Amino acid sequence: EPVLEMLLLSVATAVGAIPEALPIALTVILATGVERIAKQRGIMRSLGAAETLGSTTLVMTDKTGTLTQAKMSVTGVFTKAQLGLAQEPEVFDLKNLSAPQKTILSYALLSTDAVIENSTDEPDMWRFIGRPLESNIALAAHGAGVDVLSVTKDRRVSLMPFNSTNKFSVSYDKHTKKLSVLGAPDVLLAMSSVTKDEYIAIESHIQNMSAAGGRLVGVARGVVESDDDVSKIDTSKLGELEFLGIIALYDPLRPEAKEAIHRIETSGASVVMLTGDLKGTAAAIAREIGWKITEANMLTGEEIRQFNDTELSERLPLVRIFARVTPEDKLRIARLYQARGEIVAMTGDGVNDAPALKAANIGIAIGSGSDVAKSAADLVLLDDNFQIIVLSIEEGRRVISNIRKAFVYLMSNSLDEVFLIGGSLVFALPLPLTAIQIIWVNFFTGSLPALSYAFEDNRDVGKTHGSTYSSIFNNQVRLLALGIGTASSVFLFLLYWGMLKIGIDVDVARTVLFFCFSTYILAVAFSFKSLYRPIFSYSLFDNSALNISIAIATVLAISSYAVVPLREILGLHSISYQWLGLIAVWIVVNIALVETAKWILRLTGRTST
């Protein structure tokens, strides 16, 4: 054969063997998935993260705002005297608080960052903005008759904002010349000067109220030796505090949270709760979700820090709730889960959560969180809602499923040119295809349907076990791509060899082979809409993009013969209509080949979407 012609043919064969449409198809599929997630109120910060999201096997979620509504209402203000008695505190009435209870609200108000949005309006019309907990404390203080505007504007000097490591905030009261400390009641109680009996009684009330589902905030105050320069006060050395009491709040479970948790768990991914709240508060919310929680299913931050990595890793399969955890605990837990083979998605909102969000396979920042957390995250929730995480994971699974379909579709016909050209050279047959014919089929016919798989719906992804999506190139994908690709290529070569053996003119045989080659890959595109379900079990034409792409490719295939100048450029020969029957049979044979392969995989259990 002429060297130049063989050079052109070898280049064309290489082009045909390499699925050049795959990078484009991947980009379209990922971009479409990211767009769908955005419509669910989740913003992906990179295309590749959409695929990783679909592989998630474990979700580490916060409680407040994600599983709950972050609409905290104050349900009780309890003084130290009330809590120190071995009896239940009196019924809460915001309109009829005692002076000590109002003092608790006043000191709590000093340590909040809540802002009155419309302070020039009448007090009854005020709107408080800020963190839900702080805003509701300010709202309760206002309702109880505390002079909110005076406290927040004239008396307050913020010394240390709340952080999840210390679990309290500190402010200075210019009026009383004392420190106001607001935070975790057990932490403040341990820092306060109380008797043993008072400590036991207050601790008992804390446990009982948290077990009932309340979120508890302790209030204490400290003495300042000198207020000449308040900014120089060392907040890490507060000394013994005076414990004032506890504010109880209730944050209801989101109505959709229970169903969302059930939805993701039935699809094979696990969910664990990490929270800075007390163990009893977290357990109460977990039981509302429907989890069966025992002491063995819970760990506190203090308990976590007593284990080494090996001991903690052995406990992880049993644990559903991690309470009183710090950002450092979150980072450690995430890495241990990853070491166990889990693909971890984790939520966070604070500045200190950034390292853990980076370490997780998918970091998820809630919309009300810090900018640092959002910058470190892969997914940002515009609404602090667990439902968005569930929908985003399902979209990620759809991305993986569609990538698999595009890959199998493109690779299943990428060996055709190699077998045809290679087989013809080995058996000394006339070359079956020209370089321009190969290029025409690959660029203008076979590539369009691959892009259309980005728009496959895949409604069953939420019902498929999460482990199915741990890898794009699983055994099923490899077997379908290689098995079908090899079998169809061998059959295509045998068809060409057989036509020549029975005396069909080589020009006619080449033309028939060209149309068999260019049309069967369009027909099997419908079989690859699912890589495990039989073709008759789903709607063939619900993907309008696929329908349009196949229609365009079909028109191009027909035009390559019907348009005489184009037919001459492609080197096609006139054939009679009787050959259409052979082309139709070839298409049916290939569809049967794909469906048989899927049937075998179903029998062996190697199935996925």
Side-chain angles (χ1 to χ4, degrees), residues 298-354:
M298 297 185 286
L299 280 180
T300 64
E302 183 178 352
E303 292 169 333
I304 289 169
R305 289 183 283 277
Q306 292 175 357
F307 293 121
N308 60 38
D309 286 352
T310 302
E311 293 169 337
L312 182 56
S313 180
E314 291 174 353
R315 290 289 305 272
L316 291 182
L318 292 175
V319 181
R320 302 297 301 275
I321 295 173
F322 298 91
R324 278 290 189 252
V325 292
T326 65
E328 292 76 18
D329 295 330
K330 289 184 179 181
L331 176 60
R332 184 184 175 201
I333 293 167
R335 285 176 171 167
L336 289 178
Y337 271 123
Q338 289 172 319
R340 296 181 62 88
E342 302 283 2
I343 307 298
V344 177
M346 187 179 70
T347 65
D349 59 354
V351 173
N352 293 339
D353 287 331

Side-chain angles (χ1 to χ4, degrees), residues 42-220:
I43 304 299
M44 299 300 303
R45 301 188 67 248
S46 68
L47 286 181
E51 178 266 320
T52 308
L53 188 63
S55 305
T56 298
T57 59
L58 176 78
V59 179
M60 298 170 55
T61 180
D62 192 8
K63 176 184 70 68
T64 304
T66 309
L67 297 177
T68 62
Q69 298 181 33
K71 295 180 179 177
M72 301 179 196
S73 56
V74 175
T75 58
V77 179
F78 307 107
T79 66
K80 174 186 170 182
Q82 290 174 309
L83 296 168
L85 300 173
Q87 62 186 35
E88 289 299 316
E90 62 188 42
V91 177
F92 174 69
D93 180 7
L94 185 62
K95 298 295 185 181
N96 190 28
L97 296 185
S98 65
Q101 288 174 314
K102 290 184 179 181
T103 299
I104 290 173
L105 285 175
S106 180
Y107 271 96
L109 193 60
L110 283 165
S111 288
T112 66
D113 291 320
V115 177
I116 302 173
E117 187 180 33
N118 54 335
S119 59
T120 57
D121 292 347
E122 291 295 323
D124 291 341
M125 302 296 292
W126 283 350
R127 295 186 300 272
F128 295 90
I129 58 174
R131 293 175 58 208
L133 183 145
E134 297 178 348
S135 297
N136 280 280
I137 288 177
L139 184 63
H142 174 60
V146 176
D147 189 350
V148 175
L149 206 57
S150 172
V151 171
T152 55
K153 281 193 173 184
D154 300 331
R155 293 172 51 182
R156 177 178 182 267
V157 177
S158 178
L159 300 181
M160 186 183 78
F162 179 88
N163 65 74
S164 52
T165 300
N166 294 323
K167 291 185 168 52
F168 61 82
S169 59
V170 182
S171 294
Y172 175 67
D173 186 351
K174 291 187 290 185
H175 180 71
T176 62
K177 309 297 183 182
K178 291 187 178 182
L179 295 177
S180 167
V181 187
L182 179 73
D186 52 335
V187 174
L188 299 192
L189 184 62
M191 297 168 62
S192 302
S193 55
V194 293
T195 66
K196 182 180 179 180
D197 290 340
E198 287 176 330
Y199 185 93
I200 293 173
I202 295 172
E203 179 68 18
S204 175
H205 280 306
I206 290 174
Q207 296 302 326
N208 291 338
M209 286 190 286
S210 67
R215 182 168 186 182
L216 308 179
V217 180
V219 183

